[in-house]
Amino acid sequence: MGMPISHIMTSGMSGIRAAGDLVARMELAKSMRVGDAKDYVAKKLGVSTLDLSDEYVMRELREDLGIGVITSVAGAPKGIAAKMNIEKLLDIKINSCEKFRSQVSK
């Protein structure tokens, strides 16, 4: 049941166009309620919780932090590199990043 609710919340906050994906990660990774997850992400990003759903604010911030944007930007981190930056920013582990590290360390 947790995944559908997280998906609804992420979609409602514009997913990767804003900060919905980051909030959902905290809901799932740390079993946070949505309000606590928003507060945590906003603090880590240095913005208000209202800014989390502002696509213009978040676009610039996501580019600056290298945590992925919807449209490709030349030279900007994307894919696994962006996810690894999200791990550092939010102080969490992401399974796909762990898997990638284990594969390249062999």
Side-chain angles (χ1 to χ4, degrees):
M1 176 121 175
M3 187 58 165
I5 292 169
S6 298
H7 178 71
I8 290 165
M9 295 308 300
T10 300
S11 298
M13 293 183 67
S14 305
I16 196 171
R17 290 189 320 243
D21 66 313
L22 305 176
V23 172
R25 282 190 185 281
M26 297 316 301
E27 288 179 273
L28 297 172
K30 301 285 185 178
S31 299
M32 291 181 167
R33 294 176 110 20
V34 70
D36 294 333
K38 285 181 183 181
D39 290 342
Y40 182 87
V41 171
K43 183 178 178 184
K44 287 291 190 176
L45 296 175
V47 298
S48 74
T49 53
L50 289 176
D51 288 334
L52 296 178
S53 60
D54 185 321
E55 292 180 27
Y56 298 102
V57 170
M58 291 306 303
R59 169 67 188 227
E60 188 172 315
L61 190 55
R62 291 184 78 101
E63 280 187 46
D64 291 346
L65 295 173
I67 56 174
V69 293
I70 284 283
T71 55
S72 183
V73 176
K78 51 187 160 281
I80 198 76
K83 283 185 178 184
M84 287 180 165
N85 289 340
I86 290 169
E87 273 188 322
K88 289 179 200 166
L89 176 73
L90 298 179
D91 298 319
I92 61 172
K93 293 291 179 196
I94 298 174
N95 288 340
S96 59
C97 296
E98 293 288 304
K99 179 79 170 170
F100 178 77
R101 280 191 282 275
S102 73
Q103 289 175 342
V104 297
S105 66
K106 291 180 181 180

